[in-house]
Amino acid sequence: MTDKIKALEAEVAAYLITDAATREAFRLKFLAKKGEIMPLFDEFKSLPNEEKRVVGALLNKLKTAAEERFKSSESLSAKAESVDGFDFSRPAVSSFSGSLHPLNQVRSQLIDVFSRLGFEIATGPEIEDDWHNFTALNMPEDHPARDMQDTFFVQTDPAVVLRTHTSPVQIRTMLAQQPPIRIIAPGRVYRCDSDATHSPVFHQIEGLYIAKDVSFADLKQVLFTFVKEIFGEGLGIRFRPSFFPFTEPSAEMDIEWIKNGESSWMEILGCGMIDPNVLRNCGIDPEEYSGYAFGLGVERIAMLKYGIRDIRLFYENDVRFLSQFESGTV
Ligand code: DAH
């Protein structure tokens, strides 16, 4: 019995009490009626008298040691309060961890898809000049296509605009490098628009590919892959003839959307083969090179992907909205 008591003594001393739960486990193991120590007192009663003195002393020492350990870990118990009234055992207030904004998540996903397809990232200024934003893109002054992209002009210098699309990055890239060119240009753009689906400031991603013998089939393949990667397999896709001054032919791409059990088509981007005039404006020979371009709205993609009906939710930064996208660490 002495050996057993000694072993228990060592166990009591080494037992790790780190919180209320381990403290309770300690109590059950050593101090409870059916724990390791109390039954030893029963056993003690049946010992021969000459052993009782020594064993009794050891047993009492063990019990006191266990009780003391238990008492000294009081601050860890859920109920206990320390002298100054602060309960150290209270669970900590968990700190709030932020996450990427849903628009940044979608932007990163888009960049990831196009990077894997070999596109490099290009950037351009948000404060543009009229020539890059309109004229070089085959939209001379007084061209009616400018009406759709009314923007913020600077009063003292009407040639300075907040860019209405990311397409001027096409011009800047073509002026800076010779084909082959394969870039995407993500960025902020500005328009005089404001309602549930339009914001005066929003985000686009422009795509541009110029090389020898580029065809509309190449464009379709890249866009099919993009839709599959972002929205998943099996969505209907269609191209509708459209008009953009800087592409010829031009198209808008729609994806099939199921709304209230009914299928409808949603426009998600504009695209086309680069107009020879645009290539010439940038010193690229249209007889030698051809290319395609596309432009998509990041908000539009995010709204479709997550079923968001009002674009303004993206900019209010209400935590109840943002926290629904918390898992996204891209
Ligand atoms: N820049 C156009 C817009 O904002 C979108 C667009 C259409 C971009 C066709 C393109 C394109 O590159 O080829 O409305």
Side-chain angles (χ1 to χ4, degrees), residues 62 81 145 195 213 228 323 327:
L62 170 64
E81 297 216 333
D195 59 34
D213 299 322
K228 199 177 73 189
S323 61
S327 62

Side-chain angles (χ1 to χ4, degrees), residues 35-49:
E36 307 254 14
I37 298 176
M38 290 313 172
L40 294 180
F41 281 91
D42 291 331
E43 249 180 272
F44 164 82
K45 282 182 202 142
S46 55
L47 284 177
N49 276 347

Side-chain angles (χ1 to χ4, degrees), residues 26-191:
F26 177 93
R27 188 187 68 79
L28 290 172
K29 187 169 162 65
F30 298 112
L31 298 175
K33 270 220 169 71
K34 289 188 178 146
E36 307 254 14
I37 298 176
M38 290 313 172
L40 294 180
F41 281 91
D42 291 331
E43 249 180 272
F44 164 82
K45 282 182 202 142
S46 55
L47 284 177
N49 276 347
E50 59 275 21
E51 271 183 66
K52 270 194 176 142
R53 208 172 53 86
V54 184
V55 175
L58 284 176
L59 206 49
N60 276 330
K61 205 173 129 221
L62 170 64
K63 189 170 163 239
T64 316
E67 280 166 349
E68 262 168 21
R69 274 231 61 195
F70 185 69
K71 199 157 188 312
S72 68
S73 61
E74 207 167 59
S75 65
L76 294 169
S77 121
K79 286 184 216 104
E81 297 216 333
S82 77
V83 258
D84 58 4
F86 186 81
D87 179 0
F88 288 98
S89 67
R90 274 174 60 178
V93 180
S94 65
S95 62
F96 181 77
S97 61
S99 61
L100 283 182
H101 191 280
L103 284 180
N104 270 334
Q105 291 182 34
V106 170
R107 177 181 176 274
S108 301
Q109 287 164 14
L110 290 164
I111 289 176
D112 179 58
V113 171
F114 287 113
S115 302
R116 279 188 276 127
L117 293 169
F119 288 80
E120 276 167 29
I121 295 179
T123 53
E126 287 173 33
I127 302 172
E128 253 306 356
D129 58 62
D130 185 290
W131 189 78
H132 285 92
N133 195 82
F134 295 121
T135 312
L137 286 159
N138 222 13
M139 251 189 274
E141 228 174 285
D142 299 324
H143 192 292
R146 285 194 178 202
D147 282 357
M148 277 166 62
Q149 301 197 4
D150 198 8
T151 181
F152 304 93
F153 285 83
V154 178
Q155 215 164 22
T156 48
D157 186 353
V160 176
V161 301
L162 293 184
R163 68 178 178 190
T164 57
H165 49 179
T166 41
S167 302
V169 185
Q170 288 187 31
I171 304 297
R172 291 185 175 274
T173 309
M174 284 189 262
L175 288 172
Q177 73 189 76
Q178 280 299 306
I181 294 172
R182 197 189 334 231
I183 54 119
I184 50 166
R188 216 173 274 148
V189 299
Y190 303 82
R191 295 209 192 158

Side-chain angles (χ1 to χ4, degrees), residues 101 308-318 321-322:
H101 191 280
I308 297 163
R309 299 229 175 90
D310 195 321
I311 198 169
R312 291 166 288 208
L313 287 166
F314 288 124
Y315 315 115
E316 283 166 0
N317 286 331
D318 185 328
F321 172 73
L322 295 179

